[in-house]
Amino acid sequence: MIQILENVDLQRYNTMAVPSVARFFCRATSVSELREALAWSQTQHTAQYVLGGGSNTLLDAEVNGLVIRPEISGWEVVGEDKDVVYVCAGAGVVWHTFVMECIENGYFGLENLALIPGHVGAAPIQNIGAYGVELKDVFHTLQAVNCESGELIELSKLQCEFGYRDSVFKGRYKNKQVITSVTFSLSKAPRVSVQYPALIEELAKSNVLTPTPRQVAEAVIRVRRRKLPAPETIPNAGSFFKNPVVCEDFALRLKAEYPQMPQYDAANKRKKLAAGWLIEQCGWKGRKAFGVKVHDKQALVITNPNRVDVGNILELAASIAADVKLKFDVSLEREPKLLSE
């Protein structure tokens, strides 16, 4: 039986270390406990919020409802064929730990996604991606509980409607389904993806010409540690803005005016711009404002060293976005979402 706690401090449950208090809070270590928590919120006529690793979430000072923390643990092989192994992981499994354990067991495909903070259950919502690989590339199915009925459903890759840092859980299923487990389609053969420039450069430094999956993961970890602060020492939510995607004609005009601007091919003959570069050109890298700071090694990261309120963070983000819009006529979209959203 679940334990409903009252007036719980959530600061340690979000990597931005925003001070926040939940009116009600509980942990769900199984599907049955999750159903129980959802039913409790319905009988009490209170709002419900799901908070996983808290690495891509901004919390309000007060959360007036039930905050549910899915802590369904463990992973197992649920099937395989000649080339592929299907690995199912609980929503509460720490993402990076899972990635490294898969590599250790000879299940490949997750290497480029090493050291991304958070839990497995949040990965499909964001369609997490890094260094040329996205979650959808290794995704097979997931299971989720319907918030109203408690029904356990299974969704395929197509049904998840994955896009750039996007999925059906940010749209039609937002606040309607809670992910309980994710099954991945991983390769038995050590196939690696090293097309991303920063990764190629890092491997070249070590004179690695034909990297193993473990060497790719280790290179990713080194790059991330150099560029991104560890949340446990400098509170942050990772990349604070999405890389904007613009039409090809507009991208060409920008390139003519700013020849050094990084641009990457995107779907439907569009171009992806580097949000960090745009922010840096506006002079925000390493700057402090509203008690918050833009990281001095990566302008895409907003840090919260003083552990201030979320309002301060949003003010800084709005100022950055306004400057980028003024200089480049490009709109930045915030990546971490408010729990209340």
Side-chain angles (χ1 to χ4, degrees):
M1 183 174 180
I2 59 167
Q3 181 181 14
I4 305 293
L5 305 175
E6 295 189 50
N7 301 317
V8 173
D9 183 354
L10 298 177
Q11 191 166 43
R12 67 190 180 100
Y13 292 116
N14 72 102
T15 62
M16 198 58 128
V18 168
S20 175
V21 175
R23 178 68 183 88
F24 301 105
F25 176 88
C26 74
R27 296 179 174 87
T29 62
S30 65
V31 172
S32 61
E33 287 188 353
L34 176 59
R35 284 174 170 147
E36 189 179 345
L38 293 169
W40 184 91
S41 68
Q42 290 178 18
T43 58
Q44 298 297 314
H45 305 290
T46 186
Q48 62 210 15
Y49 305 95
V50 177
L51 181 63
S55 60
N56 199 49
T57 306
L58 301 173
L59 304 184
D60 298 286
E62 295 182 357
V63 183
N64 292 313
L66 172 65
V67 174
I68 304 171
R69 182 175 165 86
E71 295 185 356
I72 301 171
S73 62
W75 64 268
E76 62 179 335
V77 173
V78 293
E80 60 183 300
D81 56 32
K82 183 169 66 72
D83 302 311
V84 174
V85 60
Y86 299 97
V87 182
C88 180
V93 173
V94 175
W95 176 261
H96 177 64
T97 301
F98 175 63
V99 170
M100 300 311 292
E101 288 181 355
C102 283
I103 295 172
E104 185 69 26
N105 281 273
Y107 312 144
F108 306 119
L110 299 172
E111 301 79 36
N112 299 51
L113 306 178
L115 209 64
I116 293 178
H119 294 175
V120 166
I125 298 173
Q126 185 74 358
N127 183 26
I128 60 172
Y131 304 103
V133 173
E134 291 183 316
L135 178 114
K136 67 178 179 61
D137 301 326
V138 289
F139 179 88
H140 181 59
T141 57
L142 64 76
Q143 288 192 321
V145 169
N146 183 285
C147 292
E148 290 188 4
S149 68
E151 177 189 6
L152 186 66
I153 65 168
E154 183 170 276
L155 296 179
S156 67
K157 181 187 295 189
L158 184 64
Q159 291 171 314
C160 287
E161 300 176 12
F162 290 123
Y164 173 60
R165 302 296 179 270
D166 197 18
S167 72
V168 71
F169 297 97
K170 287 188 172 183
R172 193 167 67 255
Y173 286 167
K174 186 175 182 178
N175 301 327
K176 294 181 180 179
Q177 307 283 348
V178 181
I179 295 170
T180 58
S181 66
V182 183
T183 300
F184 300 87
S185 175
L186 302 179
S187 174
K188 292 182 177 180
R191 298 169 186 161
V192 297
S193 175
V194 290
Q195 286 76 40
Y196 201 86
L199 193 51
I200 294 171
E201 182 180 346
E202 182 63 29
L203 289 165
K205 287 180 183 177
S206 305
N207 296 315
V208 177
L209 301 179
T210 54
T212 65
R214 176 168 287 281
Q215 288 173 318
V216 171
E218 290 170 349
V220 166
I221 291 168
R222 290 195 299 272
V223 172
R224 290 186 69 91
R225 283 180 172 159
R226 277 202 307 271
K227 291 185 175 182
L228 306 174
E232 56 268 22
T233 56
I234 305 177
N236 72 91
S239 299
F240 202 87
F241 297 100
K242 294 181 180 180
N243 288 322
V245 178
V246 300
C247 69
E248 196 169 35
D249 288 345
F250 182 57
L252 287 172
R253 292 199 299 272
L254 285 173
K255 193 71 170 177
E257 188 172 356
Y258 305 98
Q260 302 303 314
M261 176 183 287
Q263 297 186 359
Y264 308 95
D265 292 333
N268 302 318
K269 295 184 178 180
R270 292 162 70 83
K271 291 288 185 179
K272 185 187 298 182
L273 309 180
W277 187 90
L278 300 175
I279 295 166
E280 186 172 349
Q281 300 311 302
C282 292
W284 277 103
K285 189 175 183 179
R287 278 179 61 184
K288 299 177 182 178
F290 309 105
V292 194
K293 183 183 178 182
V294 179
H295 191 46
D296 52 12
K297 293 183 180 179
Q298 172 53 270
L300 195 54
V301 176
I302 293 177
T303 67
N304 188 19
N306 299 315
R307 291 166 169 75
V308 298
D309 187 80
V310 69
N312 299 55
I313 298 166
L314 294 177
E315 281 192 85
L316 175 61
S319 298
I320 292 171
D323 283 357
V324 170
K325 180 68 175 177
L326 183 64
K327 185 176 180 67
F328 298 104
D329 195 25
V330 172
S331 298
L332 292 182
E333 182 181 351
R334 174 164 43 89
E335 195 163 308
K337 298 298 183 184
L338 279 164
L339 192 65
S340 59
E341 292 177 332

